[in-house]
Amino acid sequence: MNETTYTVTGMTCGHCAASVTEEISEIAGVEKVDVVVETGAVTVTSQQPLDESAVRAAVEEAGYALA
């Protein structure tokens, strides 16, 4: 397992967290996504290291940005 924490900007509520979680969860190999709205921390657990561009694209699809 691989665990990486990213910082996502622009999230303000549970709906924001759900949108980010949904988009990142669609990336192949992702097992778990934990979001802390207050800090913008998004911890992704995956089978193998993820391509940051794939994570960035998923976050942008949800309407937010990686810091």
Side-chain angles (χ1 to χ4, degrees), residues 3 19 23 27 35 57 66:
E3 186 174 281
S19 296
E23 292 297 334
I27 299 171
V35 178
L66 281 186

Side-chain angles (χ1 to χ4, degrees), residues 30-41:
V30 170
E31 298 284 327
K32 181 178 173 187
V33 180
D34 290 314
V35 178
V36 180
V37 173
E38 295 79 13
T39 62

Side-chain angles (χ1 to χ4, degrees), residues 3-14:
E3 186 174 281
T4 307
T5 300
Y6 303 92
T7 301
V8 176
T9 59
M11 295 187 299
T12 59
C13 64

Side-chain angles (χ1 to χ4, degrees), residues 19-31:
S19 296
V20 169
T21 298
E22 180 181 346
E23 292 297 334
I24 293 175
S25 293
E26 292 179 7
I27 299 171
V30 170
E31 298 284 327

Side-chain angles (χ1 to χ4, degrees), residues 53-64:
S53 65
V55 176
R56 183 177 305 277
V59 169
E60 289 174 358
E61 180 67 27
Y64 306 96

